[in-house]
């Protein structure tokens, strides 16, 4: 059995019904679809307003916070909260919060602005912990200054700059002049070493590009050898080694191939090669 759709409100109605029961002025409620929707939202709003507020877990955000028996600074103090004490706030009134916890089973009132939520409490705890560590480091340095400076100097002489920098950073908050100068020098040494390492890596990459990645043969030297052979197709690479001489390489290659009589022989050749891979001299 097919159904019809009301053109006004969109609900489905039986085929035998001519008028939509929700849209006609003769329906019992007299609201229609829009009126019913508004009515439901009004009821939900009233229920939300009248429903009790959920409890909220907060922490004391100051060193000491007075707890009173009623909201207001003129009422009796019944105790105190310490920093980070956890409480459960049940209701609020004029900037005051009523709470309960194990210490105040019967409840008490505190000024709401001095309370912090759980996330704020975690941040504050972390900051205070960091501040304490910082102060402990300052106190230790002031009591053991000569020993700390001596340890840093020893590490720099051993070229252990990373570890030396860690120690300097640990006590940098003291603003000690000698320590600040050591910090600048160590940073310069580390930057210098990093630059040197980059140059060495770049140079090595330049050298490595001259050799085949699969068998280690020197590309240009191998071409030269094949051109000098009686039968280049008989070439078989055995081993290649090289020595870095600073401004050039000495490359040694051992290979097998056919001689003029067709016999297979093993030959050793050595060449002087530039850092760009160009053959400079051949040593047979």
């Amino acid at each position: 059995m097919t159904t019809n759709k009301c053109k006004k409100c969109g609900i489905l109605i039986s085929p035998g019904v001519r008028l939509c029961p929700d849209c006609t002025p003769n329906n019992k409620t007299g609201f229609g679809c829009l009126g019913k929707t508004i009515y439901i939202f009004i009821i939900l709003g009233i229920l939300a307003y009248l429903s009790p507020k959920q409890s909220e877990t907060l922490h004391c955000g100051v060193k000491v916070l007075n707890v009173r028996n009623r909201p207001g600074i003129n009422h009796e103090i019944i105790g105190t909260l310490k920093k980070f004490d956890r409480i459960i706030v049940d209701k609020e009134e004029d900037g005051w919060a009523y709470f309960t916890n194990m210490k105040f089973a019967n409840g008490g009132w505190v000024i709401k602005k001095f309370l912090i939520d759980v996330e704020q409490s975690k941040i504050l705890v972390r900051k205070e912990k960091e501040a304490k560590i910082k102060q402990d480091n300052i106190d230790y340095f002031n009591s053991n200054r000569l020993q700390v400076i001596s340890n840093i100097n020893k590490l720099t002489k051993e070229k252990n700059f990373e570890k030396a920098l860690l120690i300097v950073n640990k006590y940098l908050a003291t603003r000690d002049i000698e320590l600040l100068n050591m910090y600048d020098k160590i940073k310069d040494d580390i930057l210098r070493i990093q630059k040197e390492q980059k140059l060495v890596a770049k140079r090595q990459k330049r050298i490595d590009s001259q050799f085949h990645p699969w068998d280690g043969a020197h590309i240009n030297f191998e071409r030269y050898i094949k051109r000098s052979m009686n039968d280049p197709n008989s070439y078989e690479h055995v081993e290649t080694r090289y020595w870095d001489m600073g401004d050039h390489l000495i490359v040694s290659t051992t290979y097998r191939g056919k001689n003029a009589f067709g016999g297979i022989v093993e030959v050793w050749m050595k060449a002087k090669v530039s850092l760009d891979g160009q053959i400079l001299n051949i040593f047979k």
Side-chain angles (χ1 to χ4, degrees):
M1 182 175 66
T2 59
T3 56
N4 298 322
K5 193 174 184 180
C6 177
K7 296 181 179 179
K8 186 173 182 181
C9 68
I11 70 167
L12 298 176
I13 57 177
S14 300
V17 179
R18 296 179 59 192
L19 299 175
C20 175
D22 283 337
C23 297
T24 56
N26 295 325
N27 66 73
K28 294 182 179 180
T29 60
F31 287 115
C33 293
L34 181 60
K36 284 183 178 180
T37 304
I38 295 173
Y39 176 75
I40 291 171
F41 274 108
I42 292 173
I43 295 299
L44 291 175
I46 293 173
L47 290 174
Y49 178 79
L50 295 177
S51 62
K53 188 177 180 181
Q54 292 183 348
S55 298
E56 184 180 10
T57 300
L58 297 174
H59 291 79
C60 177
V62 293
K63 191 172 182 179
V64 178
L65 183 59
N66 289 330
V67 180
R68 300 179 185 271
N69 62 347
R70 296 190 65 184
I73 59 174
N74 297 323
H75 293 288
E76 178 187 355
I77 296 175
I78 58 175
T80 58
L81 292 176
K82 293 181 180 179
K83 199 167 192 178
F84 304 127
D85 279 352
R86 178 176 174 272
I87 64 173
I88 299 175
V89 174
D90 295 320
K91 59 182 179 179
E92 299 177 23
E93 184 179 319
D94 297 331
W96 288 76
Y98 175 80
F99 75 94
T100 56
N101 66 1
M102 293 182 66
K103 185 177 178 182
F104 297 93
N106 295 325
W109 291 86
V110 292
I111 300 176
K112 175 72 183 303
K113 68 179 181 180
F114 296 128
L115 301 177
I116 55 178
D117 61 29
V118 176
E119 289 302 318
Q120 289 174 319
S121 177
K122 289 179 181 179
I123 294 171
L124 202 55
V125 168
R126 187 180 72 249
K127 286 183 178 180
E128 291 199 355
K129 185 178 180 181
E130 291 172 353
K132 185 180 184 305
I133 292 173
K134 181 179 178 180
Q135 188 58 50
D136 289 344
N137 289 338
I138 291 173
D139 294 340
Y140 179 86
F141 179 83
N142 291 334
S143 301
N144 303 274
R145 182 181 182 279
L146 294 178
Q147 180 184 347
V148 174
I149 295 294
S150 176
N151 289 339
I152 296 171
N153 282 327
K154 181 182 177 183
L155 289 169
T156 53
K157 287 179 181 178
E158 296 171 352
K159 299 189 182 302
N160 194 346
F161 299 115
E162 297 291 342
K163 190 171 182 179
L165 187 62
L166 286 175
I167 297 176
V168 172
N169 280 328
K170 185 176 180 180
Y171 303 111
L172 208 57
T174 61
R175 311 307 296 172
D176 183 88
I177 299 299
E178 186 173 359
L179 204 62
L180 292 172
N181 290 334
M182 294 175 82
Y183 173 83
D184 292 336
K185 186 178 184 306
I186 292 171
K187 288 286 286 186
D188 290 341
D189 288 334
I190 290 175
L191 289 174
R192 174 180 53 79
I193 290 174
Q194 289 175 344
K195 288 180 180 179
E196 291 174 355
Q197 289 173 342
K198 286 181 180 179
L199 289 174
V200 169
K202 185 177 180 180
R203 186 178 186 276
Q204 188 60 48
K205 186 176 180 180
R206 182 181 176 191
I207 292 173
D208 292 342
S209 65
Q210 302 179 27
F211 298 85
H212 283 301
W214 52 89
D215 64 359
H218 191 277
I219 298 171
N220 286 341
F221 193 23
E222 187 175 66
R223 289 173 182 165
Y224 174 86
I225 292 171
K226 288 182 177 181
R227 286 197 300 267
S228 66
M229 292 176 63
N230 291 306
D231 183 0
N233 292 328
S234 68
Y235 172 86
E236 180 186 351
H237 176 262
V238 176
E239 181 188 34
T240 293
R241 301 171 63 189
Y242 78 89
W243 294 263
D244 188 346
M245 308 305 293
D247 61 343
H248 68 277
L249 304 179
I250 298 296
V251 179
S252 170
T253 292
T254 302
Y255 66 95
R256 296 187 188 95
K258 291 182 180 180
N259 59 16
F261 302 100
I264 299 296
V265 294
E266 187 169 288
V267 182
W268 168 85
M269 291 183 68
K270 186 183 288 187
K272 179 180 179 181
V273 181
S274 72
L275 296 181
D276 291 323
Q278 301 302 314
I279 307 299
L280 301 177
N281 198 5
I282 300 295
F283 309 99
K284 291 189 178 180

